[in-house]
Amino acid sequence: MPTKRSSRGPSADEPTSRLILSGLTAFGYHGNNPAERKLGQVFTADLEVTLDTRKAAATDRIEDTVSYPLLEKTARQILEGTPANLLETVAERIATAVLKHPAVIEVTVRVSKRPPLPNLNAFTVEITRPAD
């Protein structure tokens, strides 16, 4: 019986691929500033999901991979969902949800917002989490 992958992430001898979702936008109420919680703002998320895509490539079946519309829906629900004070929390929630899919070996999540600071276009938090 196969065991769950270690928390070290992908091993050097294990072929991996990445599904990359870039520029997902959603309106949410995250932030430590009361105005952010009241008015809301647009957040952007990028996901890099590491998995072995050989079976999906061979069978050409969506059931043998992780559907990117499912990844988008998962991230969007969190971005539009329960407010958090920190982007670190939002990124962690997304990573945790994506890692529930058994095919996922590792996920990198980037969450960005446009902070109300002069001379700064965006603030981004990036985390990488391996499957347990």
Side-chain angles (χ1 to χ4, degrees):
M1 172 186 293
T3 59
K4 191 73 170 165
R5 292 175 179 86
S6 77
S7 61
R8 295 184 323 243
S11 67
D13 61 341
E14 183 177 358
T16 58
S17 304
R18 288 185 302 194
L19 305 179
I20 301 171
L21 282 73
S22 301
L24 182 151
T25 60
F27 194 85
Y29 295 88
H30 310 289
N32 198 40
N33 182 319
E36 293 175 307
R37 289 295 188 100
K38 183 177 180 181
L39 301 173
Q41 62 188 309
V42 174
F43 294 87
T44 303
D46 303 310
L47 306 176
E48 293 184 22
V49 179
T50 303
L51 67 159
D52 185 346
T53 61
R54 291 177 297 173
K55 182 176 180 183
T59 65
D60 199 28
R61 293 171 17 113
I62 193 77
E63 296 83 11
D64 294 328
T65 189
V66 179
S67 161
Y68 73 83
L70 175 64
L71 294 171
E72 185 273 343
K73 180 181 177 183
T74 299
R76 178 174 303 285
Q77 286 176 336
I78 293 166
L79 290 171
E80 294 176 346
T82 304
N85 289 326
L86 303 176
L87 288 188
E88 292 86 345
T89 304
V90 176
E92 196 70 44
R93 288 175 182 171
I94 294 170
T96 298
V98 169
L99 287 168
K100 288 181 181 176
H101 195 289
V104 175
I105 297 169
E106 184 177 85
V107 63
T108 297
V109 178
R110 281 180 291 284
V111 180
S112 302
K113 70 176 183 177
R114 297 183 58 116
L117 300 175
N119 304 313
L120 184 61
N121 287 334
F123 171 70
T124 302
V125 170
E126 177 179 291
I127 64 169
T128 299
R129 298 293 182 262
D132 290 328

